[in-house]
Amino acid sequence: QVQLVESGGGSVQSGGSLRLSCQIASGGDRYSSYVMGWFRQGPGKDREGVAALDSHHNAIYADSVKDRFIVSLDKAANMMYLQMNNLSIEDTAMYYCALRHEVYGGSWLRSRSYNFWGQGAQVTVSS
């Protein structure tokens, strides 16, 4: 079992920045290769993939956040981060980190392909 714990959510004004953290609290040494992703679910919306990267630091982004968000991985610290810049009201959502042990199992931004999830961190952007 892999346990993931998010932190760093909060409230910010439009144009501001936040950094989310995801700690692999346990089970991180089970897989030599894996993919970790950030997902979000806004009010009344479906969960969508935001960014993901594999254990070799190859990353992908949703078009809606490209050039604004940066995903990174610190394997030594068992941490994944999401640096969010130039935030807009449309970025308001609950953000979740997730891990999947199958690197080649389809799109990294597809939530159903992930095995383990954190509890979520709320991000609220106001005008």
Side-chain angles (χ1 to χ4, degrees), residues 24-96:
I24 306 175
S26 64
D29 57 350
R30 292 184 62 183
Y31 309 106
S32 58
S33 296
Y34 52 84
V35 176
M36 294 192 72
W38 287 100
F39 296 81
R40 66 186 182 186
Q41 188 165 15
K45 298 182 180 179
D46 294 331
R47 187 171 297 189
E48 63 170 343
V50 173
L53 79 174
D54 68 8
S55 48
H56 301 286
H57 304 275
N58 300 301
I60 63 170
Y61 297 90
D63 288 343
S64 59
V65 306
K66 204 171 291 182
D67 300 326
R68 297 189 299 124
F69 290 11
I70 301 172
V71 62
S72 60
L73 180 67
D74 184 340
K75 293 172 67 174
N78 280 336
M79 297 290 294
M80 178 178 65
Y81 302 98
L82 185 67
Q83 177 66 43
M84 304 182 291
N85 301 317
N86 193 21
L87 285 161
S88 69
I89 293 175
E90 290 72 28
D91 295 314
T92 294
M94 184 71 80
Y95 284 72
Y96 300 89

Side-chain angles (χ1 to χ4, degrees), residues 3-10 19-25 36-41 47 78-82 94-99 116-123:
Q3 184 182 12
L4 304 175
V5 180
E6 296 102 336
S7 60
R19 189 176 80 155
L20 298 178
S21 300
C22 175
Q23 180 188 16
I24 306 175
M36 294 192 72
W38 287 100
F39 296 81
R40 66 186 182 186
Q41 188 165 15
R47 187 171 297 189
N78 280 336
M79 297 290 294
M80 178 178 65
Y81 302 98
L82 185 67
M94 184 71 80
Y95 284 72
Y96 300 89
C97 68
L99 182 147
F116 306 102
W117 291 83
Q119 82 286 357
Q122 178 67 38
V123 172

